[in-house]
Amino acid sequence: MSKVKPTGPIPQGYDDKDGELLIGGEKASELVDQHGSPLFIYSKDQLDKRFAGLRNAMPEQLHIHYAMKANPFAPLLSHMVSLADGIDIASGGELEMAIKAGAKPNHISFAGPGKRGEELLQAIRTGVTINIESPTECDRVLKISDREDVQPRMAVRVNPDFDLKGSGMKMGGGAKPFGMDVELVCPTVDRIVNAGALWRGFHIFAGSQALKADAIIETQQQTIKLAARLADAIGKAPDHVNLGGGFGIPYFPGDEQLDAGQIGEALRAELANLPKILANTQFAIELGRYLVGEAGVYLTKVVDRKVSQSQTFLVTDGGLHHQLAASGNFGTVVRRNYPAAIASKYTTETQEVVSIVGCLCTPLDRLNDNVEMPKAEVGDIVAVFCAGAYGASASPANFLGQGPAKEILVD
Ligand SMILES: *Cc1c(COP(=O)(O)O)cnc(C)c1O
């Protein structure tokens, strides 16, 4: 027998009814009967609660942006546009989606290395803020704007000379394709200002998926210091500083919820005691997974139950083509289990050890490995949690000709 492994922590706020998992007031089996399987369900109620909790924890004057690459599903995006102070995009495609979802151009900022000419043109014409990732990109924007006779809105994305400690994905501190090194910032801002473009400020993003408040607090303090140092060197105050994000969510056994209250308190103190040159600067944070990740559940039906060499497998009609991260991103060194449950037997005691796999013909297609679950039969429904971010749009839906899963937003 293989060793029993724990599942990841199930997010707070999910209730049950008649022994089943409830999402947005509906039972898992009803949702699947109505909408089919596999299915992504995002809960407005969960989105609202998360956003309100964060809003409450953060300083009043701080803007909270939604980084839409976490989840661009149109109904969810529209909802996030109604909640957030800004939308952060990273492609021309996302720009179109953000505008369609009702975001105002002056509330949109566009980051990302390798913006193509047509994307820059689209951004300039639409009037969104472009986060400039290199001096050459700066030149391209100025050239296109000149041709179009439009004053572009430009912020400079800085590759910080520090990183976010304990983050799952480092986006600063060292050689990076994102932003420009600190010593390039002043000449680039000078160039923007001298060309008559609108210089909006700085974008400084140091990393993602941190669960330690202390690490985020330290990074925010370093970010504010860096912004002040750069502004002093330029001799001009930035209207806007995007402090980045990095707020993580618990996915794996042992992970603990981030203490947003602690971050808010420290940031409140920081903003109350700013370096002089930043006294009138508007600060923002940009978050993806923290805002939407735990509000989504992926439901997939059991289509087969089989035993191989005394190990039981539940084979589902879903898999890594929809939930790549839960499978371990095409192989990780140590594969750990995402939070999962038998949604149709949510309150039943665990009865057996099973591996929950997808329907793809690859050994990598595992949703949960050697976990204790109630006994599930064909037709039962598996829930994989933390499916609200980097699920549907960040998985290879066309792998093996499977196609995408349906997505719905419920109250
Ligand atoms: C991906 C990304 C985000 C969102 O990251 P999360 O971990 O989902 O919060 C925010 N800002 C930038 C610049 C990004 O690239």
Side-chain angles (χ1 to χ4, degrees), residues 230-241:
L230 290 167
D232 277 329
I234 293 160
K236 199 168 152 60
D239 291 340
H240 194 267
V241 171

Side-chain angles (χ1 to χ4, degrees), residues 218-257:
E218 188 190 326
T219 295
Q220 289 181 339
Q221 291 171 349
Q222 286 174 306
T223 304
I224 292 170
K225 267 205 196 96
L226 175 59
R229 196 173 95 212
L230 290 167
D232 277 329
I234 293 160
K236 199 168 152 60
D239 291 340
H240 194 267
V241 171
N242 181 333
L243 296 170
F247 291 41
I249 59 171
Y251 288 104
F252 301 117
D255 283 357
E256 277 180 39
Q257 194 77 40

Side-chain angles (χ1 to χ4, degrees), residues 53 107 141 156 200 305 376 399:
H107 291 171
V141 169
V156 170
R200 295 283 297 137
R305 178 190 165 90
F399 193 31

Side-chain angles (χ1 to χ4, degrees), residues 67 69-70 157 171 203 205 208-209 247 286-289 390:
K69 82 168 186 282
R157 181 163 179 189
M171 311 258 299
H203 174 216
F205 182 82
S208 257
Q209 180 54 20
F247 291 41
E286 51 174 357
L287 307 179
R289 75 187 78 221
Y390 307 110

Side-chain angles (χ1 to χ4, degrees), residues 39-166:
L39 179 66
F40 282 95
I41 303 148
Y42 312 118
S43 155
K44 244 188 214 175
D45 182 51
Q46 293 260 22
L47 294 170
D48 289 344
K49 283 188 179 138
R50 170 51 58 97
F51 200 90
L54 182 71
R55 184 70 280 172
N56 203 29
M58 290 299 129
E60 302 65 45
Q61 71 269 42
L62 182 76
H63 279 178
I64 301 172
H65 292 186
Y66 174 51
M68 68 171 281
K69 82 168 186 282
N71 191 330
F73 178 55
L76 178 142
L77 181 59
S78 295
H79 193 62
M80 295 311 293
V81 165
S82 76
L83 296 175
D85 301 302
I87 300 293
D88 292 334
I89 61 166
S91 74
E94 286 193 348
L95 173 51
E96 228 165 85
M97 290 188 251
I99 295 285
K100 243 187 222 150
K104 296 201 183 76
N106 61 346
H107 291 171
I108 297 175
S109 52
F110 182 5
K115 301 180 192 77
R116 292 179 295 263
E118 60 271 28
E119 291 176 296
L120 292 176
L121 177 62
Q122 180 192 359
I124 290 162
R125 284 185 176 161
T126 315
V128 306
T129 297
I130 305 173
N131 295 342
I132 301 298
E133 307 261 349
S134 73
T136 45
E137 188 175 81
C138 177
D139 288 343
R140 288 160 70 213
V141 169
L142 292 176
K143 207 162 154 190
I144 298 170
S145 306
D146 199 34
R147 210 169 56 217
E148 291 284 307
D149 200 19
V150 174
Q151 187 191 36
R153 301 163 70 88
M154 300 165 80
V156 170
R157 181 163 179 189
V158 184
N159 174 23
D161 42 11
F162 50 83
D163 64 6
L164 171 56
K165 296 202 175 65

